[in-house]
Amino acid sequence: MGNTPTVLGEPSHTQHIQSLTHQELLDSLHVIKPDPILLERFKSSLNNNTTVTSDKPPKKKRVLILSCDGGGTRAVAPCQFLMHLEDTLGITLHEVFDMFCGCSIGSVLAMGLGASKRTTHELRAICNDNVGVWPKVMPKPKNLVGPRYPSGGKRHLIETVIGDIKFSETDKMLVVPAFSLTLEETCIFDENSELYVQDVVEASTAAPTYFPSVSVDGQWYVDGGMTVYDPAMCGYVKAISKFGDADIRIISVGTGKRKGNYNGEAAQTHGVFGWLANDLIEITLNDTLVQKHLHTLVGDKYIRVQTYMEECGVTQELDDYSDAQFESLKKMGTLWWEKFGQDVLDLILLDEEELTQKFKLAPPSPEPTSGESIPHLKPPPFRLHHNLPEENLTRSPSLKRLKEKRASQDPSTTA
């Protein structure tokens, strides 16, 4: 049985977290450290440009993917989390990851790390500046007609972070989605493009109602997050198309999600205004389907770093750069490190066999011999993933029944 861990969503815990300052929270958390032997093995593999292994030869190419969501000024939270990761590893994230994916403000972070080789401390210093940076990106008062903000401040931020570099001049795999109003489809830009990274990122951050649409190479674009809220799936597809049966590992970092205000019975009478007032936009931006697909495809090699923003007192506004909001965002990023940090370190440092032992995944199917048909894709064995709060079981009778059924068949699944 053991002690039941405190769930982040419990009211008493939430109120306690909100009452702490960020420094008090930092002082109260336990220190997460990587195994020095595993870390040295990983660093050695980077220097030798080889795949991380134990004593056995590699069977698959490892591809480490970092994906960053949009969320306006809430980018402070992923910056905080990624800073903890980089400080703990002792090497830049540019050296750690093979692919960087990002949409909207996440494209600024991802391309800053992947294309321009920025450190997380540099990104954090820029994103945390609610005096010199954000007031120029989102000046007050807001425009009442047309986009809320002009594009000049946003463009300056992007140029400061990314600089003057083309996709084709970078040394990492890159993914930036933007929605083309000209072609009426989502376009994916990568390291094969001859366009300048800052131009594409400006298009991917052109959030409707907040900023004007952007013209790039004769086409008009708006925010890629309108259709690709979590670009991790784009990264997975790119990795599969390039490497085939690779050891793909994905760390997808959000900017906080809002608890829905759904009422199924009341929704029977909703019209246009009723739905707009009751989370219609939130439903269209829901990213749970991407998470389910990636968990089916790669199991626990996909980690979604995300929690409800209310737990830390974060507001949902994309343009809130008040001192109170930024304090709450820093707390949220640090809490993410406490909650997900160890799993993220293991995903980066462990080889495939060690990961299999940790997560108790079924071993990979042997390669088919000549004449054999390739078996259909099967999801990994059921287990309660760390991204699914225990409290959700009380809200989902079917999940609870499934957990009990699996536990009766194999008690280790609930360990």
Side-chain angles (χ1 to χ4, degrees), residues 51-363:
T51 301
V52 180
T53 65
S54 53
D55 298 329
K56 299 181 180 180
K59 293 184 179 180
K60 297 180 181 179
K61 176 176 177 58
R62 176 183 299 191
V63 182
L64 278 171
I65 301 173
L66 176 63
S67 176
C68 299
D69 289 9
T73 57
R74 301 204 308 266
V76 170
C79 279
Q80 189 75 25
F81 174 82
L82 294 173
M83 183 193 69
H84 286 303
L85 175 60
E86 188 170 83
D87 286 349
T88 303
L89 289 171
I91 50 179
T92 67
L93 297 189
H94 180 269
E95 298 175 86
V96 173
F97 290 94
D98 304 296
M99 185 189 302
F100 295 83
C101 312
C103 63
S104 198
I105 190 64
S107 67
V108 179
L109 303 183
M111 295 306 102
L113 295 168
S116 303
K117 304 182 182 180
R118 291 279 193 175
T119 67
T120 56
H121 282 270
E122 290 176 314
L123 290 181
R124 182 176 178 270
I126 295 172
C127 287
N128 281 15
D129 187 352
N130 64 344
V131 176
V133 173
W134 288 110
K136 295 179 181 177
V137 176
M138 300 172 172
K140 297 178 181 179
K142 305 173 185 178
N143 293 330
L144 299 179
V145 178
R148 293 187 188 182
Y149 307 108
S151 59
K154 176 168 73 78
R155 176 72 185 191
H156 179 71
L157 169 64
I158 294 169
E159 290 174 345
T160 301
V161 173
I162 296 174
D164 200 27
I165 186 172
K166 293 182 178 180
F167 276 94
S168 59
E169 296 171 342
T170 61
D171 59 356
K172 295 289 182 177
M173 292 181 284
L174 307 172
V175 171
V176 179
F179 185 81
S180 171
L181 299 174
T182 307
L183 300 177
E184 300 181 16
E185 65 182 27
T186 302
C187 297
I188 306 295
F189 298 88
D190 61 17
E191 70 279 2
N192 297 311
S193 172
E194 289 299 324
L195 296 173
Y196 283 93
V197 177
Q198 61 177 271
D199 292 339
V200 172
V201 169
E202 187 181 12
S204 186
T205 55
T209 75
Y210 286 87
F211 296 104
S213 57
V214 173
S215 177
V216 180
D217 200 29
Q219 294 187 33
W220 288 94
Y221 295 92
V222 293
D223 193 340
M226 298 301 297
T227 53
V228 186
Y229 192 69
D230 177 3
M233 180 61 79
C234 299
Y236 173 82
V237 171
K238 180 176 176 61
I240 283 292
S241 64
K242 186 169 184 176
F243 299 111
D245 189 22
D247 177 13
I248 300 173
R249 307 180 183 194
I250 306 170
I251 297 166
S252 174
V253 188
T255 58
K257 60 181 178 180
R258 188 169 68 88
K259 290 184 178 180
N261 184 31
Y262 309 131
N263 185 322
E265 184 175 356
Q268 296 178 92
T269 61
H270 285 349
V272 174
F273 295 108
W275 273 112
L276 288 175
N278 287 275
D279 296 328
L280 176 63
I281 296 177
E282 200 73 20
I283 293 173
T284 61
L285 296 176
N286 188 286
D287 59 354
T288 52
L289 185 59
V290 170
Q291 296 175 45
K292 290 178 181 178
H293 283 333
L294 286 173
H295 280 310
T296 299
L297 293 166
V298 298
D300 286 286
K301 292 180 183 178
Y302 166 73
I303 296 178
R304 177 66 169 162
V305 179
Q306 180 83 300
T307 57
Y308 290 115
M309 61 183 75
E310 291 88 348
E311 292 165 359
C312 292
V314 174
T315 66
Q316 66 174 323
E317 282 75 15
L318 304 180
D319 53 357
D320 183 354
Y321 47 84
S322 65
D323 291 341
Q325 174 80 334
F326 273 33
E327 173 75 7
S328 297
L329 286 165
K330 287 186 285 186
K331 285 198 294 186
M332 186 164 70
T334 296
L335 273 175
W336 288 350
W337 178 247
E338 170 80 355
K339 185 175 182 180
F340 302 104
Q342 189 59 60
D343 282 341
V344 168
L345 285 176
D346 290 343
L347 193 67
I348 292 172
L349 299 178
L350 298 181
D351 65 22
E352 191 165 13
E353 185 176 329
E354 292 163 340
L355 270 181
T356 300
Q357 183 177 3
K358 173 181 176 177
F359 291 126
K360 301 178 183 178
L361 295 176

